[in-house]
Amino acid sequence: MSIRNIAIIAHVDHGKTTLVDHMLRQAGTFRENQHVAERVMDSNPLERERGITILAKNLSVRWHDTKINIVDTPGHSDFGGEVERILRMVDGVILLVDAAEGPMPQTRFVMRKAMELGLQPIVVINKIDRGDADPHRVHDEVLELFMELEADDHQLDCPFLYAVGREGVAMLAPEDPRKDLTPLFDSIMKTIPEPSGQPVGPFQMLVSTIDFSPYLGRLAIGRIERGSVNVGDSVVLLENGFEGGAVPASARTRVSKLYTFDGLERHEVETASAGDIVALAGLPNVDIGSTLCDPENIEALEGIAVEEPTVSVDIMVNNSPFAGREGKYVTSRQVRDRLFKELESNVALRVEETDSPDTLTVSGRGELHLGILMETMRREGYEFSVSRPRVILRKGPDGQLQEPYEEVTIDVPETLMGPVIQELGQRRGEMREMKNSGGGLVRLVYRMPARGLFGYRSEFLTATRGEGILHHRFMEYGPYVGPMSTRNRGVLVAMVGGESVAFSLGNLQERSTFFIAPGVPVYEGMIVGENSRPGDMEVNVTKGKKLTNMRASGSDDNILLEPPRQMTLEDAMGYIADDELIEVTPQTIRLRKRQLNANDRKKASRAAS
């Protein structure tokens, strides 16, 4: 049986996972009467809630007498580490591009990685049924992108298809009849080469991803580069970066189970050969980037290099007055063990010790990358505090301090672009391009410090009335631009503990926006709202109305309160200042001051000045 290994890559929301659904259906993976959920590959609860792919996943379909191994990849730049490591498993990529939006920042990032590895692309221009679709313009933009990325002649001569992913149809030309995905499957068979592995020779395999089974332990997933492997074979595990020398006895192990991918399931087999993507059990110490090889021929493959993280936060033990009320895992040892366990599968993450035993520095690709980790931990029952994100600075070749810059792409209605341009200018953004992309939208492309984007997304949605679209990706390190203020309003800080009362909130709401509703427990130093002007204000939200035996007309009118502003973890990370923390528990996200007592805050402020 012949094999094809492909990855499906695209920008977020361009329709990768929906297209994979229809590929599975049309290849006969499901029974005719089988009920299948939409976006079946987004199996993680967070993926279903947010409508994005977070983790790269393997599956396979059979088309005639060929097995096609498919890897569904994330589209958000914060999860680029997932994409970088799986590209080593495949021989070609299907690039999915929206027929209206065209190539976006993440498209450029992933295609650059694919081009460097010499992978063969197939371009699918999706959503050609959109009212503002312009497939011919997008076709030209993709070719321009390929030329910018210095694609070779073979890559430039790739097939272009046109599709409506949600209908499960693909065509060789936009005007062709819409039938099914046969043109896509045929293009895969003709264009994507068979795996380049050597079927004869000693076994060798690079571990590209890790899975976990409660019964078998860690599973090493990757493509066999050379030879074959059988259940019961002895193998040697070489760590990423192995450069020769003696191999410890602990590196020798035995394959206890062997699986290939069949549809969405893993299928147990006795043997597998070069070119196939497999999962091996019986390797307790395996890590991503390790090489598995024959004990008689110890030879390491080139490891997986992932770009360095650009944003870091401090994660520490929760020491608020409400600590331990809601969490199941609250000690520093439990939080530390969970973070270091995440390193086993999350290759773009870094965890470092600090001077304080209760604090760890966690670095990642962006606020969303770190936010997803924290959201996963809180759902598992962990409780902790988080500092404000900060960019990772470095020294340039001439000793100059440098910081990360992002390429920001914004689609905004023409009538609303004034406030966006003004705000990005204040955040040290440098406009690189402005063009009218049609449909009343203007596309703005900026180069700006990553710090300038902290907390901007909510302001952007307000300024564009929810009609703007903002995407960004890491671009390069550039000169440090000095101090930057991203929040121009103060906060309301609770001055006493207790339970919030509607009477107090009603008296304060004219000059503030609240983060809490009546009847919510608060403590001294907890942030309960946003001030309407610069500077923090201490308030008492637990003060009730004094009762007397005298009544006045209208004194008992109902108090009408605006709904409180609900913050997600990413919103909170972009909002807080350096002297504030986020308290994360399984049930609640609270904002607080580092120093809960007002006098302590004043002393710290005087000491800092």
Side-chain angles (χ1 to χ4, degrees):
M1 179 188 298
S2 62
I3 295 174
R4 299 292 189 276
N5 297 322
I6 60 170
I8 297 189
I9 58 179
H11 194 79
V12 64
D13 264 349
H14 281 197
K16 298 182 304 300
T17 308
T18 303
L19 184 70
V20 171
D21 279 3
H22 285 282
M23 291 179 74
L24 286 166
R25 287 186 172 90
Q26 294 185 26
T29 303
F30 306 126
R31 301 188 312 272
E32 287 188 17
N33 62 345
Q34 184 174 348
H35 173 72
V36 181
E38 285 189 21
R39 302 196 333 269
V40 66
M41 289 298 290
D42 285 347
S43 52
N44 185 306
L46 276 173
E47 293 179 319
R48 289 206 160 274
E49 286 176 25
R50 296 170 182 246
I52 61 173
T53 300
I54 296 171
L55 303 172
K57 303 176 192 70
N58 298 75
L59 72 152
S60 74
V61 298
R62 294 182 186 272
W63 187 251
H64 304 312
D65 59 346
T66 301
K67 179 182 180 182
I68 304 175
N69 287 312
I70 302 173
V71 186
D72 185 22
T73 65
H76 201 287
S77 58
D78 280 20
F79 306 107
E82 291 283 318
V83 180
E84 289 177 66
R85 60 189 173 89
I86 61 89
L87 288 178
R88 292 284 295 275
M89 285 196 290
V90 299
D91 304 287
V93 294
I94 296 177
L95 172 63
L96 213 64
V97 183
D98 189 290
E101 294 182 2
M104 296 292 278
Q106 176 67 359
T107 316
R108 180 184 302 272
F109 168 81
V110 181
M111 278 311 299
R112 177 165 55 86
K113 297 290 180 185
M115 296 293 185
E116 289 172 356
L117 292 170
L119 301 181
Q120 175 62 42
I122 295 174
V123 179
V124 178
I125 298 176
N126 194 27
K127 302 186 183 182
I128 63 169
D129 58 332
R130 283 183 56 163
D132 56 348
D134 189 352
H136 297 294
R137 170 182 60 82
V138 172
H139 176 282
D140 295 341
E141 289 178 355
V142 172
L143 284 177
E144 288 174 11
L145 171 64
F146 282 14
M147 287 186 281
E148 284 178 28
L149 297 176
E150 299 179 354
D152 60 34
D153 293 342
H154 203 249
Q155 291 169 328
L156 280 171
D157 195 27
C158 66
F160 277 76
L161 284 83
Y162 303 86
V164 182
R166 63 182 178 181
E167 295 178 10
V169 296
M171 299 78 70
L172 296 174
E175 58 276 4
D176 287 355
R178 300 180 183 182
K179 295 180 180 179
D180 54 23
L181 291 175
T182 299
L184 175 58
F185 284 116
D186 290 345
S187 295
I188 292 172
M189 303 302 298
K190 294 175 184 174
T191 309
I192 305 299
E194 290 198 46
S196 56
Q198 305 170 32
V200 178
F203 170 67
Q204 193 180 40
M205 172 182 139
L206 179 71
V207 180
S208 295
T209 186
I210 298 287
D211 202 354
F212 183 82
S213 164
Y215 306 105
L216 301 170
R218 305 182 77 183
L219 299 172
I221 300 174
R223 182 179 66 180
I224 300 176
E225 300 290 340
R226 187 176 65 197
S228 60
V229 63
N230 303 293
V231 174
D233 281 359
S234 293
V235 295
V236 172
L237 178 64
L238 305 177
E239 294 183 357
N240 192 356
F242 178 80
E243 296 180 351
V247 178
S250 58
R252 297 177 183 269
T253 185
R254 191 177 298 274
V255 178
S256 61
K257 295 279 186 181
L258 181 62
Y259 298 92
T260 60
F261 293 90
D262 189 3
L264 296 171
E265 307 294 329
R266 284 197 288 260
H267 181 62
E268 188 171 348
V269 294
E270 291 297 316
T271 184
S273 57
D276 205 355
I277 295 176
V278 297
L280 282 72
L283 315 168
N285 300 317
V286 68
D287 281 316
I288 291 170
S290 301
T291 299
L292 298 175
C293 63
D294 187 284
E296 303 301 321
N297 291 270
I298 296 175
E299 184 182 351
L301 290 163
E302 182 185 351
I304 295 174
V306 177
E307 288 189 0
E308 292 297 310
T310 57
V311 177
S312 66
V313 296
D314 290 335
I315 293 184
M316 60 203 77
V317 172
N318 183 18
N319 59 1
S320 84
F322 292 169
R325 291 190 183 183
E326 301 171 0
K328 184 178 177 184
Y329 308 108
V330 298
T331 67
S332 58
R333 179 185 59 81
Q334 290 168 328
V335 173
R336 182 183 184 281
D337 290 349
R338 175 63 181 83
L339 288 171
F340 277 99
K341 183 174 181 293
E342 183 70 19
L343 294 177
E344 296 173 358
S345 57
N346 197 336
V347 294
L349 198 73
R350 301 284 183 274
V351 180
E352 300 168 289
E353 306 275 4
T354 65
D355 296 337
S356 169
D358 293 338
T359 304
L360 291 165
T361 297
V362 182
S363 307
R365 283 287 184 84
E367 291 172 86
L368 183 61
H369 184 205
L370 297 172
I372 291 292
L373 167 63
M374 294 177 218
E375 183 67 32
T376 304
M377 288 176 62
R378 74 181 282 244
R379 293 185 183 206
E380 293 171 359
Y382 287 86
E383 185 175 308
F384 49 90
S385 294
V386 183
S387 73
R388 184 190 189 196
R390 55 188 179 272
V391 296
I392 298 174
L393 305 176
R394 73 178 191 186
K395 290 288 181 69
D398 55 355
Q400 181 188 24
L401 192 61
Q402 293 185 328
E403 65 176 321
Y405 279 71
E406 302 267 327
E407 180 187 53
V408 183
T409 304
I410 292 174
D411 289 316
V412 61
E414 194 170 354
T415 56
L416 300 174
M417 68 180 185
V420 174
I421 293 174
Q422 180 182 354
E423 182 64 27
L424 290 180
Q426 292 174 354
R427 290 171 177 259
R428 310 293 182 92
E430 175 189 333
M431 186 186 291
R432 289 294 185 87
E433 185 180 339
M434 176 195 291
K435 64 179 179 181
N436 195 322
S437 54
L441 293 178
V442 175
R443 174 163 293 181
L444 308 173
V445 180
Y446 275 83
R447 174 184 180 268
M448 66 185 297
R451 286 183 297 146
L453 289 172
F454 289 168
Y456 177 60
R457 191 171 291 274
S458 60
E459 289 188 24
F460 173 75
L461 291 174
T462 303
T464 61
R465 302 174 190 169
E467 298 179 40
I469 302 171
L470 183 150
H471 294 293
H472 59 91
R473 70 170 184 94
F474 171 71
M475 189 177 186
E476 61 187 355
Y477 268 85
Y480 182 71
V481 295
M484 185 185 302
S485 175
T486 56
R487 192 177 84 188
N488 52 17
R489 294 181 180 179
V491 293
L492 305 184
V493 186
M495 58 195 299
V496 294
E499 195 170 279
S500 59
V501 177
F503 175 75
S504 297
L505 300 181
N507 288 335
L508 292 164
Q509 79 171 356
E510 285 187 9
R511 43 188 165 162
S512 59
T513 302
F514 278 102
F515 303 151
I516 61 169
V520 173
V522 300
Y523 53 80
E524 182 187 4
M526 178 173 158
I527 297 172
V528 295
E530 181 181 69
N531 196 357
S532 60
R533 59 190 66 185
D536 297 344
M537 181 167 63
E538 293 186 31
V539 296
N540 182 0
V541 293
T542 66
K543 181 180 178 182
K545 184 178 181 182
K546 300 297 182 185
L547 298 178
T548 69
N549 60 354
M550 301 292 290
R551 287 177 177 266
S553 174
S555 61
D556 291 325
D557 285 348
N558 286 334
I559 298 172
L560 300 178
L561 295 174
E562 295 179 2
R565 179 173 162 189
Q566 301 291 339
M567 283 216 182
T568 64
L569 256 171
E570 290 90 59
D571 292 338
M573 286 165 57
Y575 181 80
I576 61 173
D578 291 331
D579 65 335
E580 296 163 1
L581 296 174
I582 310 167
E583 181 184 350
V584 182
T585 74
Q587 299 176 25
T588 318
I589 294 174
R590 302 184 186 95
L591 307 185
R592 52 161 286 193
K593 289 290 185 179
R594 281 182 184 264
Q595 302 282 352
L596 297 179
N597 183 270
N599 290 329
D600 292 341
R601 291 197 296 274
K602 290 175 184 175
K603 290 177 184 176
S605 176
R606 284 197 295 268
S609 60

